[in-house]
């Protein structure tokens, strides 16, 4: 047994998966064999989730049945909706509210007493979680802003329905398409921290809801989720300073500040998802007649590449994409969870197929021969 220490488990292989593949040197991301560029251009979020859960693309009838089954599960039970409402009124952090909602969904799930490894029950649980988390998030955001929750509609697609519940009106086709594409891009990404958290929890034979709740909690940490919100706040700061973005970045770096949205544990080149969202950010700017957020981002990207050798990750351009769609900055990370729920569930189901308890070791560096001292002599 090797005693080599790998902090953060970097580079350590702990599982085999056929869900997604990342080539960090080539800037390549694949779901079940399909390039992310093809999926982003052609597949809906529902189609992508079907692929992740079933291993193959659906036929037209299979996709219709799958999408209908998911849309039928969107409504929240009264207790969960009441809890989300109370959390919003108490000004809870959005990710904390999402964590609570994910856990609470188990109480009303018809399969809550099923064996944790039951494949069919897990598909049903995964479908309900993936369908209901957007409803919980939209309700939270509206109540927090003093508005009433909007009930989901079964005749709208997954992405379109979320924007409808969030804003109270059906989005235009372009906005709905861009958001759907963003959900596809965030659906899975290998064994990242939150996905690993979900699989560790599942490996103990905890149930689907416990695993997803673990994942949401892990995503809430600033070193995993939250980067796109930080990118947008940074860009707002640049804008408010009325300063050239490159000069602002130079000054920020001189002050020891970190420029959000750059660098990645896996990618050594530009994140392929950033390329796609960069194009969509530009399109949204063109459509609105205001390209400043996109142009500001490009200027910073070019400087960071030339001077620091750093490329943007997915968060860098998802920030301006969401912002131009009118989405509140502090729900960017919960939207990540809304999308990644499909991927988390896929990994949980994959873990159960050939389960082994995940139990790494730690190197002990403490004292080994301490002598007991009676309490009256300490």
């Amino acid at each position: 047994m090797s005693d080599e220490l790998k902090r953060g488990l970097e580079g350590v292989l702990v599982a085999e998966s056929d869900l997604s593949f990342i080539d960090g040197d080539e800037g390549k991301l694949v779901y079940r064999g399909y390039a992310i560029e093809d999926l982003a251009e052609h597949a809906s979020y529902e189609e992508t989730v079907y692929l992740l859960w079933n291993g193959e693309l659906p036929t037209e009838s299979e996709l219709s049945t799958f999408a209908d089954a998911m849309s039928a599960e969107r409504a929240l039970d009264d207790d969960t909706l009441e809890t989300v409402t109370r959390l919003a009124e108490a000004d809870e952090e959005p990710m904390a509210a999402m964590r609570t909602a994910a856990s609470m969904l188990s109480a009303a799930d018809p399969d809550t007493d099923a064996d944790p490894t039951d494949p069919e029950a897990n598909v049903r649980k995964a479908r309900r979680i993936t369908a209901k988390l957007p409803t919980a998030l939209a309700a939270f955001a509206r109540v927090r802003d003093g508005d009433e929750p909007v009930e989901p509609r079964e005749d709208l697609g997954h992405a379109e329905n979320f924007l409808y519940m969030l804003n109270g009106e059906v989005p235009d086709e372009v906005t709905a398409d861009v958001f759907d594409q963003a959900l596809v891009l965030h659906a899975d990404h290998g064994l990242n921290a939150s996905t690993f958290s979900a699989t560790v929890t599942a490996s103990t034979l905890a149930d689907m809801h416990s695993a997803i709740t673990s994942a949401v909690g892990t995503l809430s940490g600033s070193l995993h989720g939250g980067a796109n919100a930080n990118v947008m706040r940074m860009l707002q700061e640049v804008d408010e300073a009325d300063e050239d973005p490159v000069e602002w970045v130079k000054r920020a770096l001189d002050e020891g500040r970190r420029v959000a949205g750059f660098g990645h544990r896996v990618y050594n080149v530009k994140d392929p998802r950033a390329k796609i969202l960069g194009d969509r950010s530009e399109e949204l700017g063109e459509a609105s007649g205001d390209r400043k957020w996109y142009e500001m981002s490009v200027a910073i990207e070019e400087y960071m590449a030339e001077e620091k050798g750093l490329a943007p990750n997915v968060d860098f351009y998802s920030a301006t994409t969401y912002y131009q769609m009118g989405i509140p900055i502090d729900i960017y990370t919960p939207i990540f969870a809304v999308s990644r729920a499909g991927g988390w569930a896929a990994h949980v189901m994959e873990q159960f197929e050939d389960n082994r308890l995940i139990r790494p070791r730690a190197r002990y560096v403490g004292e080994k021969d301490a002598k007991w001292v009676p309490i009256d002599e300490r």
Side-chain angles (χ1 to χ4, degrees):
M1 186 178 291
S2 173
D3 285 329
E4 183 182 3
L5 182 64
K6 295 280 190 175
R7 293 195 179 277
L9 298 181
E10 185 168 2
V12 176
L13 290 173
V14 298
E16 291 183 332
S17 174
D18 59 9
L19 291 169
S20 59
F21 166 74
I22 305 165
D23 186 328
D25 294 324
E26 295 294 328
K28 185 176 182 180
L29 173 61
V30 169
Y31 295 171
R32 296 279 199 182
Y34 293 92
I36 194 61
E37 291 82 0
D38 288 338
L39 293 172
E41 182 177 357
H42 302 294
S44 65
Y45 179 72
E46 292 93 327
E47 196 168 5
T48 301
V49 172
Y50 184 101
L51 171 66
L52 290 172
W53 291 0
N54 295 281
E56 59 186 11
L57 291 171
T59 64
E60 188 173 354
S61 63
E62 287 171 337
L63 178 58
S64 178
T65 299
F66 182 83
D68 287 348
M70 184 176 288
S71 64
E73 299 285 5
R74 289 174 178 159
L76 296 177
D77 63 278
D78 291 342
D79 289 339
T80 301
L81 180 58
E82 181 181 356
T83 297
V84 168
T85 298
R86 288 183 177 180
L87 291 172
E89 292 172 344
D91 200 27
E92 177 64 285
E93 288 293 320
M95 280 301 289
M98 288 291 283
R99 181 196 63 223
T100 300
S103 179
M104 193 167 183
L105 288 175
S106 69
D109 195 298
D111 289 300
T112 192
D113 294 326
D115 186 293
T117 64
D118 182 332
E120 294 181 358
N122 279 329
V123 169
R124 294 191 295 269
K125 289 179 184 179
R127 182 168 63 234
R128 295 181 190 114
I129 294 169
T130 305
K132 294 177 189 298
L133 284 181
T135 308
L137 176 57
F140 174 87
R142 286 186 65 81
V143 171
R144 183 188 58 176
D145 292 342
D147 298 318
E148 290 293 320
V150 173
E151 293 185 3
R153 281 174 46 172
E154 293 187 19
D155 62 319
L156 300 177
H158 193 76
E160 189 178 23
N161 180 69
F162 173 75
L163 294 176
Y164 164 71
M165 292 189 297
L166 182 66
N167 299 316
E169 58 184 30
V170 177
D172 63 77
E173 186 176 346
V174 172
T175 301
D177 181 62
V178 171
F179 189 66
D180 187 58
Q181 193 173 64
L183 296 183
V184 169
L185 294 172
H186 286 89
D188 195 44
H189 204 247
L191 210 57
N192 55 82
S194 56
T195 300
F196 184 58
S197 177
T199 57
V200 170
T201 301
S203 80
T204 70
L205 297 187
D207 69 351
M208 177 69 71
H209 287 85
S210 297
I212 300 300
T213 303
S214 292
V216 175
T218 303
L219 181 61
S220 69
S222 61
L223 291 183
H224 186 16
N228 50 9
N230 292 335
V231 169
M232 198 61 234
R233 293 187 181 107
M234 175 187 74
L235 293 175
Q236 286 181 320
E237 188 176 343
V238 175
D239 186 53
E240 291 168 3
D242 194 23
E243 189 175 355
D244 177 81
V246 171
E247 293 303 316
W248 187 95
V249 167
K250 289 180 181 178
R251 180 167 54 81
L253 291 172
D254 288 341
E255 294 171 356
R257 295 179 60 179
R258 182 176 180 275
V259 178
F262 287 85
H264 196 279
R265 176 67 74 88
V266 179
Y267 292 113
N268 298 315
V269 295
K270 187 171 182 176
D271 188 326
R273 301 167 298 173
K275 294 178 182 178
I276 297 168
L277 286 175
D279 290 342
R280 300 318 296 263
S281 177
E282 181 179 19
E283 290 174 21
L284 290 172
E286 289 280 4
S288 69
D290 184 2
R291 289 171 50 91
K292 75 174 182 180
W293 299 114
Y294 172 74
E295 291 176 350
M296 192 184 299
S297 300
V298 170
I300 294 173
E301 177 187 353
E302 291 176 348
Y303 173 77
M304 292 295 286
E306 293 171 4
E307 300 297 324
K308 303 298 178 181
L310 293 174
N313 54 45
V314 67
D315 298 305
F316 189 67
Y317 281 106
S318 66
T320 53
T321 300
Y322 289 161
Y323 189 77
Q324 292 178 97
M325 294 166 66
I327 296 174
I329 294 174
D330 67 348
I331 69 167
Y332 289 4
T333 304
I335 286 173
F336 188 128
V338 162
S339 170
R340 188 59 61 83
W344 288 332
H347 281 271
V348 170
M349 290 186 278
E350 186 177 62
Q351 177 68 31
F352 284 143
E353 289 174 2
D354 185 24
N355 187 56
R356 180 175 174 79
L357 177 66
I358 298 174
R359 204 303 192 181
R361 297 183 306 138
R363 177 185 293 162
Y364 180 72
V365 295
E367 190 174 349
K368 294 181 180 178
D369 298 308
K371 302 301 181 182
W372 177 258
V373 178
I375 194 169
D376 58 351
E377 297 178 14
R378 294 174 204 163

